[in-house]
């Protein structure tokens, strides 16, 4: 067991009760012992965050953590440690970050990105390539959906976006995209969307947020999902078409 935090117990209860995830899988995802997870899901009291006692080594940098999380809500604790020059215990920093990190409500936001599998996939007519895969992760439930599309042109991206939303079964209030040319470009509160995504936004009644360039911290959830696809889903699989 690496550590046990209130945030870990909250996620354990959520995944066990709402998603019927097995205790073994929860323990592996949170890096906790199975007994710790069992105690968390059996608890009748909701987990509480007890503020660190006065004089905690993290108190001196809490304002910096809040500032980073306000601008980059999904920035990993390890990246926060680098940004603020943290050289002390990473465990206590992670616990404070988990307590301060804003929590998305159900249906509020989903992060989107393109993943390019590092393998050659047969595309027919003697051709093979690494086709783009639109990936979407719900900010609240961490639900992951993905689909293979032929190209990263706007028309195919619109169809891919629709396909992953259908997998989710609902339309998030906000879709977060990187500066993908087929989707749009950063423009502050008024992103410069392509015509296809402008039409899709109006049809779905959602908001599309385009991140500023070189801002990977703001889509940490989907970046980790891409890592999962590459390191856990892909190895050992072979594609015939």
């Amino acid at each position: 067991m690496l550590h046990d935090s209130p945030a870990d117990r909250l996620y354990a209860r959520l995944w066990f009760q709402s998603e019927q995830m097995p205790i073994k899988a929860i323990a592996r995802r949170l890096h906790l012992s199975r007994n710790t997870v069992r105690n968390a899901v059996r608890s009748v009291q909701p987990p509480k965050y007890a503020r660190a006692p006065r004089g905690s080594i993290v108190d001196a940098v809490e304002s910096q953590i809040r500032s980073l999380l306000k601008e980059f809500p999904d920035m990993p604790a390890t990246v926060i440690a680098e940004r603020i020059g943290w050289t002390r215990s990473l465990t206590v920093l992670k616990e404070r970050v988990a307590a301060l990190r804003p929590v998305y409500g159900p249906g509020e936001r989903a992060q989107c990105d393109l993943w390019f599998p590092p393998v050659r996939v047969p595309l027919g007519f003697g051709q093979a390539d690494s086709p783009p895969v639109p990936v979407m992760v719900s900010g609240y439930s961490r639900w992951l959906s993905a689909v293979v599309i032929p190209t990263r042109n706007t028309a195919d991206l619109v169809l891919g976006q629709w396909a992953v939303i259908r997998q989710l079964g609902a339309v998030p209030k906000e879709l977060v995209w990187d500066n993908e040319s087929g989707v749009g470009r950063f423009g502050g509160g008024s992103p410069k969307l392509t015509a296809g995504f402008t039409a899709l936004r109006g049809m779905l009644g959602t908001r599309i947020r385009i991140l500023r360039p070189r801002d990977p911290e703001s889509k940490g959830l989907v970046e980790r999902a891409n890592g999962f696809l590459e390191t856990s889903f892909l190895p050992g699989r072979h594609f015939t078409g």
Side-chain angles (χ1 to χ4, degrees):
M1 181 179 73
L2 299 181
H3 70 279
D4 174 22
S5 69
D8 288 334
R9 295 193 293 274
L10 177 62
Y11 277 119
R13 289 167 58 86
L14 173 66
W15 290 335
F16 183 81
Q17 296 177 358
S18 301
E19 301 183 28
Q20 288 78 53
M21 184 181 293
I23 286 178
K24 181 179 179 181
I26 297 173
R28 183 170 59 250
R29 179 174 293 190
L30 295 176
H31 303 290
L32 299 174
S33 71
R34 297 182 192 178
N35 286 337
T36 299
V37 174
R38 289 191 185 96
N39 291 336
V41 300
R42 291 171 180 170
S43 174
V44 296
Q45 297 295 330
K48 297 181 180 180
Y49 166 63
R51 189 176 182 83
R54 190 180 300 275
S56 168
I57 59 175
V58 192
D59 291 343
V61 296
E62 181 171 312
S63 61
Q64 294 175 261
I65 297 173
R66 289 182 181 275
S67 178
L68 287 171
L69 290 177
K70 183 178 180 180
E71 189 172 3
F72 310 111
D74 301 313
M75 180 180 285
T78 51
V79 178
I80 290 176
E82 294 176 3
R83 297 290 190 272
I84 66 177
W86 183 257
T87 59
R88 308 290 292 276
S89 169
L90 191 58
T91 297
V92 295
L93 180 71
K94 285 183 175 180
E95 290 178 351
R96 184 63 62 90
V97 169
L100 297 176
R101 190 186 301 280
V103 178
Y104 299 127
E108 283 187 7
R109 176 180 292 182
Q111 296 181 5
C112 307
D113 195 17
L114 288 182
W115 173 59
F116 294 88
V119 294
R120 302 285 289 179
V121 178
L123 302 178
F125 301 99
Q127 300 184 63
D129 202 350
S130 175
V133 178
V135 180
M136 186 176 75
V137 180
S138 170
Y140 177 76
S141 67
R142 306 301 198 261
W143 179 276
L144 166 64
S145 50
V147 65
V148 178
I149 58 176
T151 73
R152 60 197 303 179
N153 294 333
T154 296
D156 288 330
L157 285 170
V158 168
L159 293 175
Q161 182 76 84
W162 174 243
V164 293
I165 287 176
R166 288 191 64 187
Q167 290 180 28
L168 178 64
V171 180
K173 294 179 181 178
E174 182 180 66
L175 301 172
V176 179
W177 270 94
D178 208 344
N179 271 266
E180 177 62 42
S181 60
V183 178
R185 292 296 182 188
F186 175 75
S190 301
K192 299 175 176 61
L193 299 178
T194 59
F197 270 81
T198 298
L200 181 68
R201 177 185 61 180
M203 182 183 72
L204 298 178
T206 187
R207 179 174 180 265
I208 297 178
R209 175 187 172 199
I210 303 296
L211 300 175
R212 61 168 56 88
R214 297 175 296 280
D215 184 14
E217 290 89 352
S218 290
K219 55 186 183 72
L221 293 178
V222 73
E223 292 284 357
R224 287 193 288 275
N226 290 349
F228 163 79
L229 291 173
E230 189 157 325
T231 61
S232 298
F233 168 79
L234 191 60
R237 295 180 186 272
H238 301 279
F239 302 92
T240 57

